[in-house]
């Protein structure tokens, strides 16, 4: 609902903006395991919260948008061509640039557009999380920082061709373990 509203809102300013929000919406609805929202939801229910409470629904949507932000940026960093069976967001905009024979480098345009689409997702996640209590906000902030820490460590590990097991474990702890399981559980309990 948020992304549908935002698509309409920004299409009135300029149709190009609607295309950016639509690219985000299409990626979100294309699938995914939705692990982070599920861990958050069940921790919330396990701590005594009602299963259909709007706060946990919004938190789950915020987690999914945060994950989409990370996927879009990760696809740019890795040069991935596909995501969830469709062209990665940067690839979509590279193709658009080339098809319309725009000036400049299509790759730079596509990657820049994808970074901004990811940024939209990051902001929308914050908007959805706005009503959360301060104790939950602290957990959400830590989750977001740990996501960035894990991604940066992964980038460094890949670039340096590291085979250090300790470094690999640290990357997995921050990029996957904390971000996917631990913090969403903490978040649900905090809510």
């Amino acid at each position: 609902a948020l992304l549908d509203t935002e698509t309409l809102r920004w299409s009135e300013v300029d149709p190009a903006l609607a295309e950016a929000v639509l690219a985000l919406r299409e990626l979100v609805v294309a699938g995914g395991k939705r692990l982070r929202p599920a861990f958050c939801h069940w921790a919330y229910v396990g701590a005594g919260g009602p299963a259909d409470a709007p706060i946990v629904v919004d938190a789950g949507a915020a987690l999914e948008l945060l994950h989409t932000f990370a996927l879009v940026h990760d696809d740019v960093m890795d040069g991935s061509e596909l995501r969830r069976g469709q062209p990665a967001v940067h690839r979509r905009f590279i193709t658009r640039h080339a098809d319309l024979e725009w000036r400049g480098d299509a790759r730079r345009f596509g990657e820049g557009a994808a970074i901004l689409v990811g940024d939209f997702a990051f902001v929308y996640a914050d908007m959805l999380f706005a009503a959360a209590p301060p104790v939950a906000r602290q957990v959400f902030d830590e989750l977001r920082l740990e996501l960035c820490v894990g991604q940066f460590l992964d980038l460094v590990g890949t670039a340096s061709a590291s085979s250090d097991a300790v470094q690999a474990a640290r990357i997995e702890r921050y990029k996957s373990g904390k971000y996917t399981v631990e913090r969403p559980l903490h978040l649900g309990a905090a809510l």
Side-chain angles (χ1 to χ4, degrees), residues 14-185:
D14 191 295
L17 293 168
E19 186 178 356
V21 181
L22 279 172
L24 171 58
R25 184 189 186 287
E26 289 172 13
L27 182 57
V28 169
V29 301
K33 296 181 263 334
R34 315 275 197 241
L35 291 173
R36 291 150 201 86
F39 282 120
C40 178
H41 172 85
W42 288 113
Y44 179 80
V45 171
D52 61 347
I55 191 77
V56 77
V57 173
D58 285 349
L63 286 169
E64 195 57 33
L65 282 169
L66 182 65
H67 184 56
T68 304
F69 146 80
L71 292 177
V72 172
H73 284 201
D74 192 55
D75 287 346
V76 170
M77 287 185 265
D78 294 346
S80 300
E81 294 294 313
L82 295 172
R83 173 64 65 182
R84 296 180 176 160
Q86 60 188 25
V89 173
H90 69 280
R91 174 51 54 198
R92 172 185 179 145
F93 284 99
I94 290 169
T95 300
R96 177 166 170 66
H97 184 283
D99 289 349
L100 295 174
E101 299 179 359
W102 285 349
R103 63 186 179 134
D105 182 57
R107 182 187 63 83
R108 287 189 59 128
F109 171 79
E111 290 175 351
I115 289 167
L116 292 168
V117 167
D119 292 347
F120 274 109
F122 194 82
V123 173
Y124 290 143
D126 262 6
M127 289 169 59
L128 285 166
F129 207 76
V135 67
R137 184 63 197 207
Q138 291 172 343
V139 175
F140 190 64
D141 289 346
E142 197 65 18
L143 179 148
R144 294 181 309 153
L145 285 169
E146 290 169 348
L147 163 62
C148 293
V149 164
Q151 189 63 40
F152 187 79
L153 291 173
D154 185 36
L155 186 67
V156 169
T158 300
S160 67
S162 175
S163 59
D164 179 36
V166 173
Q167 183 182 20
R170 187 177 303 120
I171 292 166
E172 286 305 311
R173 179 175 185 216
Y174 283 93
K175 189 172 177 184
S176 298
K178 284 185 162 293
Y179 161 63
T180 301
V181 181
E182 183 179 342
R183 292 298 179 209
L185 288 170

Side-chain angles (χ1 to χ4, degrees), residues 6-8 10-12 14-23:
E6 289 295 293
T7 300
L8 291 173
W10 293 113
S11 68
E12 292 176 7
D14 191 295
L17 293 168
E19 186 178 356
V21 181
L22 279 172

